[in-house]
Amino acid sequence: MKRVVTGISATLTAILLTASLTTGTASATPPNIPSAATAASRLATLTVAAETNQSSYNRSLFNHWITISGACNTRETVLKRDGTGVVVDSSCAATSGRWYSPFDGATWTAASDVDIDHMVPLAEAWRSGAYAWTSAQRQSYANDLGGPELWAVTDNVNQTKGDQDPSTWQPPLASFDCTYARAWIQVKYYWKLTLQSSEKSALQGMLASC
């Protein structure tokens, strides 16, 4: 009987240890994405203006990734938030898990295949008003976990997107257009960024798919 109890105890210990390092099933969707109606209303309030200060942009002006909790930085936090069955080591690096990329519908099992995308790219934010922000504001923007700014997506899809806005780049998965537009608008609205006329027209077209 003692051997059985010992075996059960060891099993429970293993389960608890695994649970402490593993997240549950995640939605793979960042928070605070507005409804289509709310997004359309907010889009109408955004200032339309030409982009400016392109030549002065430098990615290093947006400090990221910063420590969020314990050993976990922003990237690692998003990987845990948006993945399924994510296991991390003592340094908070993901050693296993599954990540669904909503931009293209692909699923990955290696964190190295996943990039953390800034919905409104850092360079786009810079050209749309972030050039006038303080360093602290730019750091907050680059590591924003409170809104739909950070997404776990297929690495080469993120690289193809680069710093483009919806007038020149939209997700390969057309069924994601509605969510993409709603998230993009929310980021620009929350951070009081401007948008170009062509960008606004593209977003209106994407919202029409909702």
Side-chain angles (χ1 to χ4, degrees):
M1 184 64 179
K2 182 178 180 181
R3 184 180 302 168
V4 173
V5 171
T6 301
I8 292 174
S9 177
T11 300
L12 288 174
T13 299
I15 291 172
L16 289 172
L17 178 60
T18 300
S20 70
L21 295 175
T22 309
T23 64
T25 300
S27 64
T29 302
N32 295 319
I33 301 174
S35 67
T38 298
S41 176
R42 290 177 177 173
L43 177 60
T45 70
L46 294 178
T47 299
V48 176
E51 294 181 342
T52 186
N53 285 274
Q54 292 97 321
S55 62
S56 59
Y57 170 72
N58 189 307
R59 190 173 178 84
S60 65
L61 294 169
F62 292 80
N63 182 30
H64 67 293
W65 305 113
I66 62 171
T67 300
I68 299 299
S69 178
C72 303
N73 65 23
T74 314
R75 170 183 163 81
E76 293 158 345
T77 300
V78 174
L79 287 174
K80 290 199 297 178
R81 181 193 71 185
D82 294 353
T84 301
V86 179
V87 177
V88 301
D89 62 20
S90 60
S91 299
C92 203
T95 56
S96 63
R98 292 172 63 85
W99 293 271
Y100 172 76
S101 169
F103 287 11
D104 58 340
T107 297
W108 303 98
T109 56
S112 58
D113 290 323
V114 179
D115 276 359
I116 305 305
D117 171 71
H118 287 93
M119 172 57 63
V120 176
L122 303 182
E124 166 67 18
W126 178 267
R127 300 189 297 258
S128 303
Y131 64 86
W133 292 352
T134 64
S135 296
Q137 286 175 305
R138 288 192 289 269
Q139 176 175 294
S140 294
Y141 179 85
N143 300 279
D144 182 13
L145 294 166
E149 168 67 345
L150 301 175
W151 295 74
V153 301
T154 302
D155 55 2
N156 62 356
V157 172
N158 181 48
Q159 291 153 21
T160 299
K161 172 184 173 180
D163 65 352
Q164 299 179 82
D165 70 42
S167 68
T168 55
W169 190 92
Q170 295 178 15
L173 194 63
S175 60
F176 189 65
D177 279 0
C178 173
T179 302
Y180 191 89
R182 288 155 50 209
W184 183 283
I185 291 165
Q186 176 60 21
V187 173
K188 286 232 160 173
Y189 174 82
Y190 181 84
W191 289 95
K192 298 179 173 59
L193 296 169
T194 63
L195 78 170
Q196 300 178 90
S197 177
S198 58
E199 179 186 346
K200 182 174 183 177
S201 295
L203 289 165
Q204 289 170 328
M206 295 172 80
L207 286 177
S209 70
C210 295

